[in-house]
Amino acid sequence: MAEKNIDEMSFLDHLEDLRWHLIRATAGIVIAGTIAAIFYKFVFDVIIFGPTRMDFPTYEGLCRVSEFLGINDTTFCADEFPFKIQNRTVAGQFSAHVWTSIYAGFIIAFPYVIYQLWSFISPGLKSTERKSSRGFLIIASLLFFIGVAFGYYIVTPLSINFLANYNISEQISNEFDVSSVIAIVRSSAIASGFVFELPIVIYFLTKIGLVTPDFLRKYRKYALVIVLILSAVITPPDIASQVIVAIPILILYQVSIYISAAVVRNQKRKLKNV
């Protein structure tokens, strides 16, 4: 499609432009997913099933902390988890391979996906707005990967450890389906990745006037309740895990207030200079 001035483009032209950006983003995910599919042994044995083994770094670290505090009766220091991973459907392993590769492709290609989104939005911004948002791609990608790492190394092992050792009867043995294990790893990592994008979301909402720092401060107590509910949803129902997850989210909320205040100050300064 021939490039046009943004002011000259019709609604259909914008849709066509969006379509090509979505195609490129999808192509990036497919390519990254194909690479993940080729190295499936590493993806599954090391990454996906890593939190199901007691030699996972999180468990070793929590075990040392427990020993330091004198807590001997802890599941973090066990030799192995009391469960087996099984496949219960004919196409289960094939489906797990395909869908895990797609999700892995999305995580790997996230900076490129964000770049395509930014390429579609940025022509509609003023030159000063584009300059002030120059670091958007780097910051958005960095926050996403930090969130994914937090979900993988904190939320996932806490969830698996709690659920694997939860027992309502000695007559029941845990034999988890492979899709269930993958779902915990996938949802914890990707959900945390998006949660960590909160400062970016607040930045743009402040830029367009939908959010102000006073609004964020006023409803901070309600945000605290929402954060606790969110942490309860993505973690097992024990207080320690919920607090561990809630702390970084609350920090992100406070950082978002500072970011919103900085945006408002810059806007007022520009109005004075006009």
Coordinates of all heavy atoms in Angstrom, one line a residue, residues 189-245:
A189 N 2.8 -16.5 34.0 CA 3.9 -15.7 33.3 C 3.3 -14.5 32.5 O 3.6 -13.4 32.6 CB 4.8 -16.5 32.5
I190 N 2.3 -14.9 31.7 CA 1.7 -13.9 30.8 C 0.9 -12.8 31.5 O 1.0 -11.6 31.3 CB 0.9 -14.5 29.6 CG1 1.9 -15.4 28.8 CG2 0.2 -13.5 28.8 CD1 1.2 -16.1 27.6
A191 N 0.1 -13.3 32.5 CA -0.7 -12.4 33.3 C 0.2 -11.4 34.0 O -0.1 -10.2 34.1 CB -1.6 -13.2 34.2
S192 N 1.2 -11.9 34.6 CA 2.1 -11.0 35.4 C 2.8 -10.0 34.4 O 3.1 -8.9 34.8 CB 3.2 -11.8 36.1 OG 2.6 -12.7 37.1
G193 N 3.1 -10.5 33.2 CA 3.7 -9.6 32.2 C 2.9 -8.4 31.9 O 3.3 -7.3 31.8
F194 N 1.6 -8.7 31.7 CA 0.6 -7.6 31.4 C 0.4 -6.7 32.6 O 0.2 -5.5 32.5 CB -0.7 -8.2 30.9 CG -0.6 -8.6 29.4 CD1 -0.9 -9.9 29.1 CD2 -0.3 -7.7 28.4 CE1 -0.8 -10.4 27.8 CE2 -0.2 -8.1 27.1 CZ -0.5 -9.5 26.8
V195 N 0.3 -7.3 33.8 CA 0.2 -6.5 35.0 C 1.3 -5.5 35.2 O 1.1 -4.3 35.6 CB 0.1 -7.4 36.3 CG1 0.2 -6.6 37.6 CG2 -1.3 -8.2 36.3
F196 N 2.5 -5.9 34.8 CA 3.7 -5.0 35.0 C 3.7 -3.9 33.9 O 4.5 -3.0 34.0 CB 4.9 -5.8 34.9 CG 5.4 -6.4 36.2 CD1 4.6 -7.3 36.9 CD2 6.6 -6.0 36.8 CE1 5.0 -7.8 38.1 CE2 7.1 -6.5 38.0 CZ 6.2 -7.4 38.7
E197 N 2.7 -3.9 33.0 CA 2.6 -2.8 32.0 C 1.8 -1.6 32.6 O 1.5 -0.7 31.9 CB 1.9 -3.3 30.8 CG 2.7 -4.3 30.0 CD 4.0 -3.7 29.4 OE1 4.0 -2.6 29.0 OE2 5.0 -4.5 29.3
L198 N 1.4 -1.7 33.9 CA 0.5 -0.7 34.5 C 1.1 0.7 34.3 O 0.4 1.6 34.0 CB 0.3 -1.0 36.0 CG -0.5 0.0 36.8 CD1 -1.9 0.1 36.2 CD2 -0.6 -0.4 38.2
P199 N 2.4 1.0 34.6 CA 2.9 2.3 34.4 C 2.8 2.8 33.0 O 2.5 4.0 32.8 CB 4.4 2.2 34.8 CG 4.4 1.0 35.7 CD 3.4 0.0 35.2
I200 N 2.9 2.0 32.0 CA 2.7 2.4 30.6 C 1.3 2.8 30.4 O 1.0 3.8 29.7 CB 3.2 1.3 29.7 CG1 4.6 0.9 29.8 CG2 2.9 1.7 28.2 CD1 5.6 2.0 29.4
V201 N 0.4 2.0 30.9 CA -1.1 2.3 30.7 C -1.4 3.6 31.4 O -2.1 4.4 30.7 CB -1.9 1.1 31.3 CG1 -3.4 1.5 31.2 CG2 -1.7 -0.2 30.5
I202 N -1.0 3.8 32.6 CA -1.3 5.0 33.3 C -0.7 6.2 32.6 O -1.3 7.3 32.5 CB -0.7 5.0 34.7 CG1 -1.5 3.9 35.5 CG2 -0.8 6.3 35.4 CD1 -3.0 4.1 35.7
Y203 N 0.5 6.1 32.0 CA 1.2 7.2 31.3 C 0.3 7.6 30.1 O 0.0 8.9 30.0 CB 2.5 6.7 30.7 CG 3.2 7.7 29.8 CD1 3.9 8.7 30.3 CD2 3.1 7.5 28.4 CE1 4.5 9.6 29.4 CE2 3.7 8.4 27.5 CZ 4.4 9.5 28.1 OH 5.0 10.4 27.2
F204 N -0.2 6.7 29.3 CA -1.0 7.1 28.2 C -2.4 7.6 28.6 O -3.0 8.5 28.0 CB -1.1 5.9 27.2 CG 0.1 5.8 26.3 CD1 1.0 4.7 26.6 CD2 0.4 6.6 25.3 CE1 2.1 4.6 25.8 CE2 1.5 6.5 24.5 CZ 2.4 5.5 24.8
L205 N -3.0 7.0 29.6 CA -4.3 7.5 30.1 C -4.2 8.9 30.6 O -5.1 9.7 30.5 CB -4.8 6.5 31.2 CG -5.3 5.1 30.8 CD1 -5.7 4.3 32.0 CD2 -6.4 5.2 29.7
T206 N -3.0 9.2 31.3 CA -2.8 10.6 31.7 C -2.6 11.5 30.6 O -3.1 12.7 30.6 CB -1.6 10.6 32.7 OG1 -1.8 9.7 33.7 CG2 -1.4 12.0 33.3
K207 N -1.9 11.1 29.5 CA -1.7 11.9 28.4 C -2.9 12.3 27.7 O -3.1 13.5 27.2 CB -0.8 11.1 27.4 CG 0.6 10.9 27.8 CD 1.5 12.2 27.7 CE 1.8 12.5 26.3 NZ 2.7 13.7 26.2
I208 N -3.9 11.4 27.7 CA -5.2 11.8 27.0 C -6.2 12.3 28.0 O -7.4 12.6 27.6 CB -5.8 10.5 26.2 CG1 -6.1 9.4 27.2 CG2 -4.8 10.1 25.2 CD1 -6.7 8.2 26.6
G209 N -5.8 12.5 29.2 CA -6.7 13.2 30.2 C -7.7 12.3 30.9 O -8.6 12.8 31.6
L210 N -7.6 11.0 30.8 CA -8.6 10.1 31.4 C -8.2 9.8 32.9 O -9.1 9.4 33.7 CB -8.7 8.8 30.7 CG -9.4 8.9 29.3 CD1 -9.4 7.5 28.7 CD2 -10.8 9.4 29.4
V211 N -7.0 10.0 33.2 CA -6.5 9.8 34.6 C -5.6 10.9 35.0 O -4.9 11.5 34.2 CB -5.7 8.4 34.6 CG1 -4.9 8.3 35.9 CG2 -6.6 7.2 34.4
T212 N -5.7 11.3 36.3 CA -4.8 12.3 36.9 C -4.2 11.7 38.2 O -4.7 10.8 38.8 CB -5.7 13.5 37.3 OG1 -6.6 13.2 38.3 CG2 -6.4 14.1 36.1
P213 N -3.1 12.3 38.6 CA -2.5 11.8 39.9 C -3.4 12.0 41.1 O -3.4 11.1 42.0 CB -1.2 12.7 40.0 CG -1.4 13.8 39.1 CD -2.3 13.3 38.0
D214 N -4.2 13.0 41.1 CA -5.1 13.2 42.2 C -6.2 12.1 42.2 O -6.6 11.6 43.3 CB -5.8 14.5 42.1 CG -4.9 15.7 42.3 OD1 -3.9 15.5 43.0 OD2 -5.2 16.8 41.7
F215 N -6.6 11.7 41.0 CA -7.6 10.6 40.9 C -6.9 9.3 41.5 O -7.6 8.5 42.2 CB -8.0 10.4 39.4 CG -8.8 9.2 39.2 CD1 -10.2 9.2 39.3 CD2 -8.3 8.0 38.8 CE1 -11.0 8.1 39.1 CE2 -9.1 6.8 38.6 CZ -10.4 6.9 38.7
L216 N -5.7 9.0 41.1 CA -5.0 7.8 41.5 C -4.8 7.8 43.1 O -4.9 6.8 43.7 CB -3.7 7.7 40.8 CG -3.7 7.4 39.3 CD1 -2.3 7.5 38.7 CD2 -4.4 6.1 39.0
R217 N -4.5 9.0 43.6 CA -4.3 9.1 45.0 C -5.6 8.9 45.8 O -5.7 8.3 46.8 CB -3.6 10.4 45.4 CG -2.2 10.6 44.9 CD -1.6 11.8 45.5 NE -0.3 12.1 44.9 CZ -0.1 13.0 43.9 NH1 -1.1 13.7 43.4 NH2 1.1 13.2 43.4
K218 N -6.7 9.5 45.2 CA -8.0 9.5 45.9 C -8.5 8.0 46.0 O -9.1 7.7 47.0 CB -9.0 10.3 45.1 CG -10.4 10.4 45.7 CD -11.3 11.2 44.8 CE -12.7 11.2 45.4 NZ -13.6 12.1 44.5
Y219 N -8.3 7.3 44.9 CA -8.8 5.9 44.9 C -7.7 4.9 45.2 O -7.9 3.7 44.8 CB -9.4 5.6 43.6 CG -10.7 6.4 43.3 CD1 -10.7 7.6 42.6 CD2 -11.9 6.1 43.9 CE1 -11.8 8.4 42.4 CE2 -13.1 6.8 43.7 CZ -13.0 8.0 42.9 OH -14.1 8.7 42.8
R220 N -6.7 5.3 45.9 CA -5.6 4.4 46.3 C -6.1 3.2 47.1 O -5.7 2.0 46.9 CB -4.5 5.1 47.1 CG -3.2 4.3 47.2 CD -2.4 4.9 48.3 NE -2.2 6.3 48.2 CZ -1.2 6.9 47.7 NH1 -0.2 6.2 47.2 NH2 -1.1 8.2 47.6
K221 N -7.0 3.5 48.1 CA -7.5 2.4 49.0 C -8.4 1.4 48.2 O -8.3 0.2 48.5 CB -8.4 3.0 50.1 CG -9.5 3.8 49.7 CD -10.2 4.4 50.9 CE -11.4 5.3 50.5 NZ -12.1 5.9 51.7
Y222 N -9.1 1.9 47.2 CA -9.8 0.9 46.3 C -8.9 0.1 45.5 O -9.1 -1.1 45.2 CB -10.8 1.7 45.5 CG -11.8 2.5 46.2 CD1 -11.8 3.9 46.3 CD2 -12.9 1.9 46.9 CE1 -12.7 4.6 47.0 CE2 -13.8 2.6 47.7 CZ -13.7 4.0 47.7 OH -14.6 4.7 48.4
A223 N -7.8 0.8 45.0 CA -6.8 0.1 44.2 C -6.2 -1.0 45.1 O -5.8 -2.1 44.6 CB -5.7 1.0 43.7
L224 N -6.0 -0.8 46.4 CA -5.4 -1.8 47.3 C -6.3 -3.0 47.3 O -5.8 -4.1 47.3 CB -5.2 -1.2 48.7 CG -4.8 -2.2 49.8 CD1 -3.4 -2.7 49.4 CD2 -4.7 -1.5 51.1
V225 N -7.6 -2.8 47.4 CA -8.5 -3.9 47.4 C -8.5 -4.7 46.1 O -8.4 -5.9 46.1 CB -10.0 -3.4 47.7 CG1 -11.0 -4.6 47.6 CG2 -10.1 -2.8 49.0
I226 N -8.4 -4.0 45.0 CA -8.3 -4.6 43.7 C -7.1 -5.4 43.6 O -7.0 -6.5 43.0 CB -8.4 -3.6 42.6 CG1 -9.8 -2.9 42.6 CG2 -8.2 -4.2 41.2 CD1 -10.0 -1.8 41.6
V227 N -5.9 -4.9 44.1 CA -4.7 -5.6 44.0 C -4.7 -6.8 44.8 O -4.2 -7.9 44.4 CB -3.5 -4.6 44.5 CG1 -2.3 -5.4 44.8 CG2 -3.2 -3.5 43.5
L228 N -5.3 -6.8 46.0 CA -5.4 -8.0 46.8 C -6.3 -9.0 46.2 O -6.0 -10.2 46.2 CB -6.0 -7.6 48.2 CG -5.1 -6.8 49.1 CD1 -5.8 -6.4 50.4 CD2 -3.8 -7.5 49.4
I229 N -7.4 -8.6 45.5 CA -8.2 -9.5 44.8 C -7.4 -10.2 43.6 O -7.5 -11.4 43.4 CB -9.5 -8.8 44.3 CG1 -10.4 -8.4 45.5 CG2 -10.3 -9.8 43.3 CD1 -11.6 -7.6 45.1
L230 N -6.7 -9.3 42.9 CA -5.9 -9.8 41.7 C -4.9 -10.8 42.2 O -4.7 -11.8 41.6 CB -5.3 -8.6 41.0 CG -4.4 -8.9 39.8 CD1 -5.2 -9.6 38.7 CD2 -3.7 -7.7 39.3
S231 N -4.2 -10.5 43.3 CA -3.1 -11.4 43.8 C -3.8 -12.7 44.3 O -3.1 -13.8 44.2 CB -2.4 -10.7 44.9 OG -3.2 -10.4 46.0
A232 N -5.0 -12.6 44.8 CA -5.7 -13.8 45.2 C -6.1 -14.7 44.0 O -6.1 -15.9 44.1 CB -6.9 -13.5 46.0
V233 N -6.4 -14.0 42.9 CA -6.8 -14.8 41.7 C -5.6 -15.5 41.1 O -5.7 -16.7 40.7 CB -7.4 -13.8 40.7 CG1 -7.6 -14.5 39.3 CG2 -8.8 -13.3 41.2
I234 N -4.4 -14.9 41.0 CA -3.3 -15.5 40.3 C -2.4 -16.2 41.2 O -1.3 -16.7 40.7 CB -2.5 -14.4 39.5 CG1 -1.9 -13.4 40.5 CG2 -3.4 -13.7 38.5 CD1 -1.0 -12.3 39.8
T235 N -2.7 -16.3 42.5 CA -1.8 -17.1 43.4 C -2.7 -18.1 44.2 O -3.9 -17.9 44.3 CB -1.1 -16.2 44.4 OG1 -2.0 -15.4 45.2 CG2 -0.2 -15.3 43.7
P236 N -2.1 -19.1 44.8 CA -2.8 -20.0 45.7 C -3.4 -19.2 46.9 O -2.8 -18.2 47.3 CB -1.8 -21.0 46.1 CG -0.5 -20.3 45.9 CD -0.7 -19.4 44.8
P237 N -4.4 -19.7 47.5 CA -5.1 -19.0 48.6 C -4.4 -19.0 50.0 O -5.0 -19.4 51.0 CB -6.5 -19.7 48.7 CG -6.2 -21.1 48.3 CD -5.2 -21.0 47.2
D238 N -3.1 -18.7 50.0 CA -2.5 -18.6 51.3 C -1.9 -17.1 51.4 O -1.5 -16.6 50.4 CB -1.3 -19.6 51.5 CG -0.2 -19.4 50.5 OD1 -0.4 -19.8 49.3 OD2 0.8 -18.8 50.9
I239 N -1.9 -16.6 52.6 CA -1.6 -15.2 52.8 C -0.2 -14.8 52.4 O 0.0 -13.8 51.7 CB -1.8 -14.8 54.3 CG1 -3.2 -15.1 54.7 CG2 -1.4 -13.4 54.5 CD1 -4.3 -14.3 54.0
A240 N 0.8 -15.7 52.6 CA 2.2 -15.4 52.3 C 2.3 -15.1 50.8 O 2.9 -14.2 50.4 CB 3.1 -16.5 52.8
S241 N 1.8 -16.0 50.0 CA 1.9 -15.9 48.5 C 1.2 -14.7 48.0 O 1.7 -14.0 47.1 CB 1.3 -17.1 47.9 OG 1.9 -18.3 48.2
Q242 N 0.0 -14.3 48.6 CA -0.7 -13.2 48.2 C 0.0 -11.9 48.5 O 0.1 -10.9 47.7 CB -2.1 -13.2 48.8 CG -3.0 -14.3 48.3 CD -4.3 -14.3 49.0 OE1 -4.7 -13.4 49.7 NE2 -5.0 -15.4 48.9
V243 N 0.7 -11.9 49.6 CA 1.5 -10.7 50.0 C 2.7 -10.5 49.1 O 3.0 -9.4 48.7 CB 1.9 -10.8 51.5 CG1 2.9 -9.7 51.8 CG2 0.7 -10.7 52.4
I244 N 3.3 -11.6 48.8 CA 4.5 -11.6 47.9 C 4.1 -11.0 46.6 O 4.9 -10.3 46.0 CB 5.1 -13.0 47.8 CG1 5.8 -13.4 49.1 CG2 6.2 -13.1 46.7 CD1 6.3 -14.9 49.1
V245 N 3.0 -11.4 46.1 CA 2.5 -10.9 44.7 C 2.0 -9.5 44.8 O 2.2 -8.7 43.9 CB 1.4 -11.9 44.2 CG1 0.9 -11.3 42.9 CG2 2.0 -13.2 43.9

